[in-house]
């Protein structure tokens, strides 16, 4: 059983920065695809960024490219999401996820992931 614990959310003004962390316990973090998703009130959960398990390929949704950077530290079983130049539309509950069997073409689909964190709130004011 894998447990994921996020931290680093909070409230910032537009243009500010936050770094989210997600620590994993149990499972095989190094061999897993890791990702961040977000969900705003009244909206569906949205893929934000992910790192594919085999190639280390990083993928971002278009709206965060150039502003967000995802990374992972396999020695610490931790993934990160550095968020710069935050905008009010980035306001959401951010959740980390791990999947050990998904293929590259499904990396943006939340149904492909096996384990989820509880979520951390990010609020950006204008």
């Amino acid at each position: 059983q894998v447990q994921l614990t996020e931290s680093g959310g909070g409230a910032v003004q537009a243009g500010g920065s936050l770094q989210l962390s997600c620590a994993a316990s149990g499972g095989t973090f190094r061999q897993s695809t890791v990702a961040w998703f977000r969900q705003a009130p009244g909206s569906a959960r949205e893929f934000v960024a992910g790192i594919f398990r085999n190639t280390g390929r990083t993928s971002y949704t278009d709206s965060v490219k150039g502003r967000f950077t995802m990374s992972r530290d396999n020695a610490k079983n931790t993934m990160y999401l550095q968020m710069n130049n935050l905008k009010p539309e980035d306001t959401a509950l951010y959740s980390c996820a791990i999947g050990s069997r998904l293929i590259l073409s499904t990396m943006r689909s939340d149904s492909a992931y096996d384990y989820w964190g509880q979520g951390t709130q990010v609020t950006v004011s204008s």
Side-chain angles (χ1 to χ4, degrees), residues 19-112:
Q19 184 183 60
L20 306 183
S21 300
C22 174
S25 62
T28 54
F29 182 86
R30 184 182 301 270
Q31 287 81 38
S32 299
T33 295
V34 294
W36 289 95
F37 286 78
R38 66 186 180 186
Q39 187 168 21
S43 299
R45 187 157 52 188
E46 172 191 29
F47 173 85
V48 177
I51 302 177
F52 189 64
R53 56 189 169 89
N54 288 343
T55 64
R57 173 176 171 172
T58 306
S59 180
Y60 299 92
T61 193
D62 286 346
S63 63
V64 308
K65 286 180 180 177
R67 300 188 297 121
F68 290 12
T69 302
M70 183 175 179
S71 60
R72 64 189 297 172
D73 185 336
N74 290 335
K76 295 182 178 179
N77 283 3
T78 301
M79 67 182 90
Y80 305 94
L81 185 67
Q82 176 65 43
M83 305 184 293
N84 297 329
N85 190 21
L86 282 159
K87 302 177 180 181
E89 51 263 43
D90 295 318
T91 295
L93 182 70
Y94 284 70
S95 300
C96 58
I98 283 181
S100 60
R101 297 180 299 273
L102 60 82
I103 59 177
L104 184 60
S105 62
T106 64
M107 192 166 73
R108 295 174 177 247
S109 173
D110 59 359
S111 62

